[in-house]
Amino acid sequence: MNVDKLMNELEKKHTGEVEYLQAVREVLESIADVYNENPQFESAGIIERLIEPDRIVTFKVPWADDSGQVHVNLGYRVQFNNAIGPYKGGLRFHPSVNLSSLKFLGFEQIFKNALTTLPMGGGKGGSDFNPKGKSDSEIMRFCQSFMTELWSLIGPETDVPAGDIGVGAKEIGYLYGMYKKLAKENTGVFTGKGLNWGGSLIRPEATGFGNVYFAKEMLATKNESFEGKTVAISGFGNVAWGAAQKATDLGAKVVAISGPDGYIYDPEGISGEKIDFMLELRATNEDIVKPFSYEFDSAQFYEGKKPWDLKVDIALPCAIQNELDKEDAEKLISNGCMCISEGANMPCTPEAIDVIQNSDVLYGPGKAANAGGVATSGLEMTQNSMKLSWNREEVDQRLHKIMIDIHNACVENGKDEDGKVDYVKGANIAGFLKVANAMLDHGVI
Ligand code: NDP
């Protein structure tokens, strides 16, 4: 495989799809050696078949606001690869959603899902609809309109969506309700469902929990732990609160959370009622993290800033792609940060990753470190198939074990002669080999 040649061809075909091209290049560079050592991959055109989605469906989503005004958004589903199981990946509702961001997320999802050890392929979908500031009725009408197009593409053995940015329990409820009406069946086609209708305990906090479990394993390779460490987290959404909760449980002090408008620094730690308040803020659908500093005297709001200029031991970027750049990485490193573990998908820019990987800082890439969410979605699917529910401890234990197994797979495939582990390489190779071998088994299809 010649990475530059492949990338040139891909760039010509998909000019301007920046995030997607960035994600593909990162994977190709990591797996090039393993690929070239296995000529059966080249002759079967595995990489050419893997970097293009199986199909992309685009549709319009008309909906009426509360005043009767009609709006039209775009809806997408990218079914990327189903070599090891049904397509699986969340739906994102955010104004930034476009084909490039969904192709990047769907591509990443293939390897992430393979790493979980569960039988799930990769996909992603969403819309440029912004649920922020919309009433419940508007969100419901939008979700119902979106589902009138999506329902025929998905099914429990075909394609199983979940939530992502802008798609939480409420949206999944409306989407699932419409699916059930149209498909005339009550099957586990979504994950992240409500507990009363087939959801799994721990699913909401699973990505954050899993990220902390992964970071815990990385820290253990240096005889370190979360105990007594300070932690900065970006975002104050689904992933961020789970990470804040678990880091606190393990004895760390979370001193920062953030939103698009700035960050909160609280030297007394963000735990207990403060995490509950963070959840309340999130539920209001407002777009500011600032009210946190009005509520708690110890908290200070830094407008327009990112939490990466703080002196912390551990950084958990849990907000959005490309939110931590080269300068941020340099600041974290010079302030003595020892571990950066990605709760979000691709939050570090390629330049930031270069800087981090050239330092002694432990770096957990999202496709491994945030795989706990989809892993628990896989556990939700298993419970739905068995038509029973596991208790909290059972789901948490399984999630914890999966994160340890993912960490071990990264170490096995990413350790160099000096014993240093490149977790990016390890995650990409482990995920790729599983999918590529399944594709070889299935023939050219
Ligand atoms: P949420 O919408 O629940 O939370 C995202 C949070 O990030 C919000 O608080 C949002 O604030 C904030 N945010 C957005 N842009 C910025 C920015 N530029 N700087 C700081 N904060 C910002 O989404 P999730 O927590 O579900 O997802 C977060 C990330 O984790 C995404 O990359 C997602 O793909 C990834 N992920 C999520 C999984 C899951 O299970 N939910 C699984 C695996 C990965 P505001 O609401 O004000 O915009």
Side-chain angles (χ1 to χ4, degrees):
M1 169 178 33
N2 178 331
V3 175
D4 285 332
K5 185 165 170 278
L6 268 167
M7 287 310 301
N8 281 340
E9 283 163 14
L10 205 62
E11 276 158 22
K12 267 188 222 145
K13 271 194 268 182
H14 304 291
T15 312
E17 295 189 2
V18 180
E19 295 96 337
Y20 161 63
L21 295 167
Q22 179 183 333
V24 174
R25 179 175 281 281
E26 183 216 277
V27 170
L28 296 192
E29 285 175 349
S30 297
I31 63 164
D33 290 347
V34 170
Y35 196 85
N36 292 333
E37 283 158 16
N38 289 275
Q40 70 275 22
F41 293 149
E42 183 79 37
S43 58
I46 292 291
I47 214 59
E48 288 79 359
R49 286 156 58 199
L50 193 55
I51 58 182
E52 292 286 357
D54 288 351
R55 69 192 60 77
I56 298 170
V57 181
T58 312
F59 46 93
K60 72 168 184 252
V61 190
W63 59 280
D65 67 21
D66 289 342
S67 72
Q69 177 64 52
V70 173
H71 304 264
V72 179
N73 285 95
L74 280 179
Y76 307 87
R77 187 70 184 162
V78 179
Q79 296 182 328
F80 225 114
N81 183 289
N82 65 354
I84 62 169
Y87 303 106
K88 179 91 196 84
L91 297 174
R92 178 176 289 192
F93 292 169
H94 192 269
S96 68
V97 162
N98 57 32
L99 202 47
S100 170
S101 59
L102 295 180
K103 281 171 71 179
F104 126 63
L105 290 162
F107 183 70
E108 290 281 292
Q109 199 81 44
I110 304 170
F111 307 99
K112 184 190 304 194
N113 292 2
L115 283 170
T116 65
T117 69
L118 302 173
M120 298 181 287
K124 200 80 188 184
S127 172
D128 56 359
F129 171 74
N130 187 1
K132 256 184 209 321
K134 306 288 189 305
S135 70
D136 270 8
S137 323
E138 289 171 335
I139 290 175
M140 182 177 77
R141 285 194 292 275
F142 175 81
C143 289
Q144 291 175 339
S145 178
F146 185 88
M147 193 45 83
T148 54
E149 283 294 332
L150 187 69
W151 79 277
S152 60
L153 298 173
I154 60 177
E157 307 298 338
T158 321
D159 184 348
V160 184
D164 191 72
I165 293 179
V167 180
K170 178 167 62 187
E171 289 78 12
I172 289 184
Y174 294 145
L175 291 162
Y176 187 74
M178 196 62 184
Y179 173 81
K180 185 164 63 77
K181 184 179 170 78
L182 293 167
K184 298 190 172 48
E185 59 178 33
N186 205 335
T187 47
V189 74
F190 265 84
T191 57
K193 297 187 293 297
L195 285 180
N196 293 332
W197 37 280
S200 174
L201 286 161
I202 306 273
R203 178 60 190 91
E205 55 272 62
T207 308
F209 276 23
N211 185 22
V212 171
Y213 288 146
F214 191 85
K216 175 172 166 267
E217 292 305 306
M218 289 198 293
L219 288 165
T221 63
K222 292 198 172 178
N223 295 320
E224 288 286 359
S225 73
F226 270 86
E227 187 66 45
K229 302 290 187 307
T230 50
V231 182
I233 298 179
S234 60
F236 69 111
N238 210 27
V239 180
W241 81 264
Q245 179 70 59
K246 186 53 74 180
T248 307
D249 291 349
L250 296 184
K253 193 197 271 187
V254 176
V255 294
I257 53 168
S258 74
D261 50 343
Y263 75 82
I264 290 291
Y265 173 63
D266 188 339
E268 289 184 9
I270 298 165
S271 62
E273 57 166 350
K274 292 177 186 169
I275 293 183
D276 294 342
F277 185 68
M278 184 171 153
L279 283 173
E280 270 174 46
L281 277 183
R282 184 169 173 257
T284 60
N285 234 357
E286 296 302 328
D287 62 354
I288 47 169
V289 73
K290 202 181 201 167
F292 197 96
S293 59
Y294 303 149
E295 188 76 11
F296 301 103
D297 289 344
S298 53
Q300 241 182 314
F301 179 65
Y302 290 86
E303 189 154 12
K305 298 229 160 169
K306 300 191 260 184
W308 314 132
D309 54 7
L310 289 170
K311 185 170 167 47
V312 288
D313 301 309
I314 297 165
L316 304 177
C318 296
I320 203 154
Q321 64 266 17
N322 291 327
E323 52 155 313
L324 195 158
D325 61 23
K326 182 169 177 264
E327 289 71 36
D328 298 324
E330 284 165 350
K331 265 185 257 166
L332 281 168
I333 294 167
S334 67
N335 279 330
C337 177
M338 63 174 72
C339 174
I340 300 174
S341 191
E342 297 183 336
N345 285 310
M346 215 164 74
C348 296
T349 63
E351 297 76 23
I353 296 173
D354 278 350
V355 170
I356 301 164
Q357 289 205 302
N358 282 322
S359 73
D360 285 336
V361 174
L362 294 161
Y363 169 63
K367 70 167 68 72
N370 71 34
V374 73
T376 308
S377 281
L379 299 177
E380 183 175 330
M381 289 161 74
T382 307
Q383 292 170 78
N384 292 162
S385 299
M386 296 192 303
K387 302 210 182 305
L388 53 78
S389 302
W390 292 324
N391 64 30
R392 218 180 145 78
E393 290 68 36
E394 179 148 15
V395 180
D396 196 20
Q397 272 169 18
R398 286 175 189 269
L399 165 64
H400 197 165
K401 177 168 184 319
I402 288 172
M403 296 315 296
I404 293 173
D405 290 346
I406 294 175
H407 179 268
N408 292 343
C410 291
V411 172
E412 197 180 313
N413 292 282
K415 203 179 222 168
D416 68 18
E417 306 87 60
D418 305 332
K420 186 172 176 184
V421 182
D422 179 339
Y423 286 90
V424 176
K425 187 173 167 196
N428 283 332
I429 291 176
F432 166 76
L433 285 175
K434 187 168 175 188
V435 175
N437 285 320
M439 288 171 75
L440 283 181
D441 291 344
H442 296 162
V444 181
I445 47 169

